[in-house]
Amino acid sequence: MNVNPTLDSGLRVALVTGSTSGIGAAIARRLSHAGYAVILHSRSSEAAGRAMAAGMKQAVYIQADLALEADRVRLVSEAIASWGQLDVLVNNAGISRVIPHGDLASATSAVWRELHEVNVLAPFHLVALAESALREAARSRRAGSVVNISSHAGVRPKGASIPYAASKAALNHVTRLLALSLGPDIRVNAVAPGLVDTPLTAEWHGAQALWREQSPMRRAASPDDIADAVAMLVASDYLTGEVLLSDGGLNLT
Ligand code: NAD
């Protein structure tokens, strides 16, 4: 862990979970370009995380398995210790399981528990652990900001599996409940992407065709499109409790 005592007092600090790949990496880069000191995080890709941090102006990397309570506690405490403050928490890390919705037997209790642990319990607990630091941000700078990355599957009856969609619907509701409880010190919003071009979804040919042919924007989102939506919510001084559907308009069809 790096400690940077030379940080100028105007700087803001953001923790982006799951930020060594895909959408999280784009969000971390965007916030870094916007002047944030960034805490990068992932479950396993430590070398990639450290290399990414080295290439950014002010960044550190912390490994943690968000399925483990002890790791969640350590992540937030090390993140706050990095610069002695935390202004923004982006709960991006998430997992998915592809199970046809009609195949109820394959959606086992173990699958439900695994997805809820990482997609719902972890974001909620990270907010709880970061609450005092985010409130402190409001006292000395501006309101703390939480952005949860959920999914259009949490808004519409769609998605990789029923347990995945339900976990993201829960995250959307947690977003609104926390916004109500934590304002005005802490704003809490979510971005709900549709299909995003990442290595994982490159093989999802049916979904790619659906977005290309049916959505008003005629394409899936890039990770940078989602990072733009996150940056907009972080930059706001007013928006809270919003679930920003970012699906290129597919929901209109
Ligand atoms: P990704 O697999 O590239 O990134 C997921 C990140 O989550 C990784 O960095 C991984 O380390 C982290 N992670 C997973 N389990 C973890 C654990 N137990 N502990 C710590 N970290 C863990 O995937 P992505 O597509 O960039 O997804 C990012 C977010 O966007 C996820 O929450 C996902 O559900 C959501 N999302 C993605 C899409 C899409 O089309 N790619 C669509 C809608 C929502």
Side-chain angles (χ1 to χ4, degrees):
M1 188 183 70
N2 287 6
V3 173
N4 189 341
T6 62
L7 193 66
D8 74 274
S9 58
L11 208 84
R12 307 220 168 85
V13 178
L15 165 59
V16 184
T17 67
S19 45
T20 59
S21 63
I23 296 167
I27 295 167
R29 288 199 183 93
R30 178 59 50 92
L31 293 179
S32 177
H33 287 147
Y36 281 81
V38 175
I39 294 127
L40 301 162
H41 153 267
S42 69
R43 178 181 39 187
S44 51
S45 45
E46 292 189 41
R50 291 190 199 292
M52 239 180 108
M56 289 176 162
K57 197 171 167 213
Q58 285 178 301
V60 296
Y61 166 82
I62 301 170
Q63 180 281 334
D65 184 347
L66 296 182
L68 306 176
E69 181 83 45
D71 273 27
R72 300 201 279 251
V73 172
R74 180 177 54 77
L75 171 62
V76 173
S77 108
E78 288 186 5
I80 293 168
S82 298
W83 279 282
Q85 69 182 70
L86 187 67
D87 300 83
V88 172
L89 167 61
V90 182
N91 280 312
N92 166 75
I95 51 173
S96 177
R97 293 287 173 269
V98 179
I99 303 170
H101 291 201
D103 181 5
L104 305 193
S106 294
T108 61
S109 296
V111 170
W112 277 92
R113 289 198 185 95
E114 183 188 21
L115 290 169
H116 265 254
E117 189 69 49
V118 176
N119 293 355
V120 188
L121 273 69
F124 176 83
H125 282 139
L126 292 186
V127 175
L129 291 162
E131 180 186 354
S132 52
L134 294 168
R135 286 196 191 279
E136 180 54 36
R139 274 189 290 279
S140 36
R141 295 172 297 280
R142 58 189 285 245
S145 173
V146 174
V147 181
N148 297 320
I149 306 303
S150 66
S151 170
H152 78 131
V155 179
R156 306 183 73 211
K158 302 270 176 195
S161 62
I162 289 178
Y164 174 76
S167 75
K168 293 300 192 177
L171 183 59
N172 287 337
H173 205 53
V174 164
T175 298
R176 290 185 283 259
L177 291 164
L178 287 177
L180 192 57
S181 295
L182 299 179
D185 284 356
I186 306 170
R187 297 180 303 105
V188 186
N189 293 288
V191 173
L195 184 69
V196 186
D197 283 328
T198 59
L200 177 76
T201 58
E203 303 306 313
W204 295 8
H205 301 300
Q208 293 284 355
L210 179 66
W211 256 267
R212 215 170 34 245
E213 288 157 21
Q214 302 288 330
S215 77
M217 295 312 293
R218 296 283 188 266
R219 64 174 177 87
S222 68
D224 283 335
D225 290 321
I226 305 305
D228 283 343
V230 172
M232 186 189 77
L233 290 170
V234 167
S236 169
D237 279 320
Y238 193 62
L239 294 176
T240 196
E242 296 295 338
V243 176
L244 186 58
L245 196 51
S246 305
D247 69 347
L250 188 73
N251 69 90
L252 304 169
T253 65

